[in-house]
Amino acid sequence: MSVYDYDIGILGGGSAGLTIASGAARFGAKALLIDKEGRLGGDCLHYGCVPSKTLIKTAHVYHLMKNASQFGLPRHEIKSVDFSDISDRIKSVIATIEKHDSVERFCGLGAKVEFGNAVFKDEHTISLNGKGITAKNWVIATGSSPAIPKIEGLQQTPFITNRDIFYLDHLPKSMIVLGAGPVSTEMAQAFCRLGTKVTVIQRSGHILVREDKDMADAVMQNLASEGVEYCLNASVLSVRDLGSEREIAVKFKDGKIETLRAETVLIALGREANLSGLGLENAGVEYDGKGLRLDNRLRTTQKRIFGAGDVTGAYQFTHAAGYEGGVVIANAILHLPRKVDYTFFPWCTYTDPELANIGMNESAAREAGLKHAVWTEEFRMNDRGLTEGEGLGRIKLILDEKEKPLGVQILGLHAGELISEWVAVLNGRVKLSALAGAVHPYPTLAEINKRVVGNYFSGKIFSEKVKKTLKFFFSLRGRACGIE
Ligand SMILES: Cc1cc2nc3c(=O)[nH]c(=O)nc-3n(C[C@H](O)[C@H](O)[C@H](O)COP(=O)(O)OP(=O)(O)OC[C@H]3O[C@@H](n4cnc5c(N)ncnc54)[C@H](O)[C@@H]3O)c2cc1C
């Protein structure tokens, strides 16, 4: 039997790698965690979730300050923001969370941490800082990087990505954002609220293309009402550096060409898996432009090498990386054949209000050719939403032909929190009648979850047939008021 240096070696100390390293070490496996950056935490901690949500909160507070009179408060002159102060706050939140991802903590758990660029020599061996290291199992969890398009003039023009945006030394006066996915949409609103003139350029006809168009349009209209400008159905022809500004030539679907100028260009056009330079060809690991080729147990084309996190090219979220990390531990360490199942996978875009999703939305159900019905409830009917000054949004419940839930979308205040009730309901296969019958505290936003199910049941409960039967049994006499 071969003896390896480690039971499991993990390339990448981000959300996926950290989950796997800590889990494997706790189960008693000899684990090695390698990151090329000289620190742990990955994109989520340094360039993604943590800095973006910190920035969004700051922008939200500033927005409330500017709109205090809507809450019956006195108007005040509000000073412009100093982005370096905002950046300092971001760094301090990261520093607090970073302790959880420290080398010392992982060493304490029993995993060894090394830094450097690892290259596969064969399916069990990598070379790191000039030495060979072997492991029975390897995991590729090297994350993703912003995809940079091939656009005329872009190479000669300064631009920023998510790696720079949280660490700017001043607030840009104006910003053009290429792309209209979750990162773009969150940053467009936050920077607009802080005082930047933001223009978003999007190739297709609506933003947040993974979401239903009605929900995405509602988010866009809300951002537009706050001042974000949108160029939809527009592709970028070329980019030019004018010194203090950048110029972008845009061609619209109808053939019209326009030039736009801004101080800063943010590229947010999706992500590319970090797979080059790992020597994957030496280990027989196959991948394409989307990510690693994996089976449903997250094994690559080399059965002892696994993939987790953004490199899968599936759902590029921290909670997906954590979930996939658990699947890898089950398969590689515990030898339990566990498969990934994304049927009821939730996600949220952290605009204000938020847009959260679990399972299939309307367009996914339509594309899959499934017969379905949609039930809705509006936030303007939710008392707590109104007391909070936020009546925008709705919940959509999608049921299949057997009236089983396919998915739920919520656009509204704290939608990311509200969707968690559906995480339990859908994954636990809880009957909708149980949700309809359960008491929710008043006044809460979560009442909307019960109300949408109530809308579905009320059609059945208050049907003419039921009314007639009740009238007959209990000698009821019908309407007491109004036109008969
Ligand atoms: C602006 C922004 C906001 C986001 N907000 C959210 C959010 O709110 N919620 C959410 O769920 N997700 C969010 N995401 C997505 C989330 O950050 C990623 O899905 C998550 O970080 C992926 O985890 P990962 O482990 O695959 O990769 P990462 O966390 O990026 O970790 C990969 C690690 O691998 C290392 N590495 C790379 N190449 C090598 C190599 N050759 N050798 C060794 N190490 C290597 C890197 O240094 C890095 O530390 C956001 C992303 C962005 C960009």
Side-chain angles (χ1 to χ4, degrees):
M1 205 174 85
S2 311
V3 177
Y4 300 105
D5 298 328
Y6 292 92
D7 296 315
I8 188 162
I10 303 129
L11 305 187
S15 310
L18 292 170
T19 305
I20 298 165
S22 66
R26 282 171 195 216
F27 278 120
K30 193 176 175 194
L32 170 67
L33 177 63
I34 302 170
D35 200 287
K36 68 166 190 184
E37 283 231 344
R39 64 182 180 187
L40 300 177
D43 254 33
C44 180
L45 180 62
H46 300 286
Y47 313 108
C49 332
V50 174
S52 62
K53 269 73 249 178
T54 310
L55 175 75
I56 285 168
K57 178 67 186 181
T58 294
H60 185 219
V61 172
Y62 193 58
H63 178 73
L64 289 177
M65 285 163 66
K66 286 190 288 184
N67 293 287
S69 62
Q70 288 176 13
F71 296 86
L73 295 169
R75 280 176 204 275
H76 271 289
E77 197 200 327
I78 309 290
K79 288 191 179 154
S80 309
V81 304
D82 180 343
F83 198 81
S84 60
D85 290 340
I86 297 174
S87 194
D88 284 348
R89 174 169 179 261
I90 290 171
K91 285 176 202 155
S92 91
V93 174
I94 291 172
T96 308
I97 297 176
E98 199 168 22
K99 292 184 191 110
H100 195 74
D101 297 343
S102 67
V103 174
E104 294 71 35
R105 182 172 165 264
F106 277 81
C107 189
L109 291 172
K112 181 157 176 66
V113 178
E114 297 247 25
F115 294 110
N117 274 312
V119 178
F120 278 97
K121 293 292 154 200
D122 60 47
E123 71 268 35
H124 288 292
T125 315
I126 56 134
S127 152
L128 179 76
N129 303 327
K131 65 177 184 206
I133 301 175
T134 58
K136 187 174 176 196
N137 302 284
W138 283 100
V139 187
I140 302 163
T142 47
S144 66
S145 299
I148 308 301
K150 287 191 177 69
I151 296 175
E152 190 193 316
L154 189 61
Q155 272 190 337
Q156 299 77 44
T157 308
F159 61 83
I160 62 168
T161 67
N162 67 295
R163 289 185 77 92
D164 318 288
I165 195 163
F166 308 110
Y167 306 104
L168 300 173
D169 56 14
H170 71 282
L171 183 79
K173 280 195 177 60
S174 51
M175 185 191 290
I176 293 175
V177 186
L178 304 191
V183 172
S184 153
T185 307
E186 290 178 3
M187 291 302 100
Q189 186 178 41
F191 274 84
C192 177
R193 287 180 162 191
L194 292 172
T196 300
K197 181 180 176 301
V198 178
T199 308
V200 177
I201 301 176
Q202 164 75 336
R203 189 188 288 267
S204 68
H206 78 90
I207 69 166
L208 300 170
V209 288
R210 240 180 172 169
E211 313 288 346
D212 278 343
K213 187 170 181 308
D214 59 332
M215 301 296 247
D217 282 352
V219 173
M220 190 179 80
Q221 279 153 18
N222 184 43
L223 265 65
S225 75
E226 292 185 12
V228 178
E229 288 180 14
Y230 282 94
C231 296
L232 300 182
N233 296 309
S235 48
V236 176
L237 293 179
S238 61
V239 180
R240 207 154 62 106
D241 185 15
L242 302 176
S244 60
E245 279 191 318
R246 331 287 158 218
E247 187 180 78
I248 298 194
V250 185
K251 186 175 182 181
F252 290 86
K253 217 175 171 182
D254 61 6
K256 199 173 71 183
I257 293 178
E258 251 181 48
T259 52
L260 307 167
R261 285 182 184 180
E263 183 187 329
T264 306
V265 175
L266 168 67
I267 298 195
L269 286 161
R271 313 281 303 170
E272 262 168 21
N274 295 329
L275 294 171
S276 63
L278 290 172
L280 296 183
E281 52 293 343
N282 302 332
V285 172
E286 291 175 20
Y287 62 98
D288 58 26
K290 229 182 134 211
L292 289 170
R293 248 187 73 192
L294 297 165
D295 66 11
N296 54 17
R297 289 169 60 188
L298 296 180
R299 297 175 298 188
T300 64
T301 40
Q302 186 58 253
K303 296 296 170 222
R304 304 287 356 150
I305 302 180
F306 295 78
D310 282 6
V311 288
T312 64
Y315 291 92
Q316 292 180 319
F317 299 103
T318 290
H319 48 289
Y323 167 66
E324 289 154 2
V327 172
V328 169
I329 291 172
N331 283 291
I333 303 296
L334 307 177
H335 301 284
L336 297 170
R338 188 170 161 206
K339 295 175 185 171
V340 281
D341 178 0
Y342 300 105
T343 310
F344 292 126
F345 185 82
W347 70 80
C348 182
T349 301
Y350 297 89
T351 44
D352 176 23
E354 297 171 352
L355 176 53
N357 184 89
I358 184 166
M360 278 190 176
N361 60 20
E362 228 183 319
S363 39
R366 211 178 299 125
E367 268 165 39
L370 296 174
K371 275 194 183 160
H372 61 278
V374 183
W375 295 91
T376 62
E377 173 71 14
E378 302 291 323
F379 266 100
R380 63 184 144 74
M381 307 300 284
N382 178 282
D383 292 358
R384 182 58 183 271
L386 297 176
T387 63
E388 295 286 319
E390 186 62 87
L392 177 70
R394 76 178 70 100
I395 184 168
K396 282 171 77 173
L397 168 65
I398 322 292
L399 301 181
D400 69 10
E401 59 185 324
K402 290 186 178 147
E403 306 192 329
K404 293 259 176 312
L406 289 169
V408 175
Q409 294 83 52
I410 308 176
L411 170 64
L413 195 62
H414 302 309
E417 310 293 334
L418 300 180
I419 206 79
S420 291
E421 186 167 18
W422 292 99
V423 171
V425 167
L426 300 188
N427 285 292
R429 318 267 168 204
V430 175
K431 284 196 167 144
L432 289 182
S433 55
L435 182 54
V439 179
H440 286 59
Y442 174 86
T444 55
L445 298 166
E447 283 179 290
I448 201 161
N449 291 337
K450 180 180 158 85
R451 286 290 286 271
V452 74
V453 179
N455 291 350
Y456 155 67
F457 279 117
S458 62
K460 293 174 183 289
I461 295 169
F462 302 117
S463 69
E464 283 310 312
K465 197 172 157 193
V466 172
K467 273 197 229 169
K468 265 188 195 159
T469 316
L470 289 178
K471 268 186 183 177
F472 175 77
F473 276 115
F474 301 113
S475 310
L476 300 176
R477 287 177 293 158
R479 296 180 69 101
C481 167
I483 305 150
E484 287 295 320

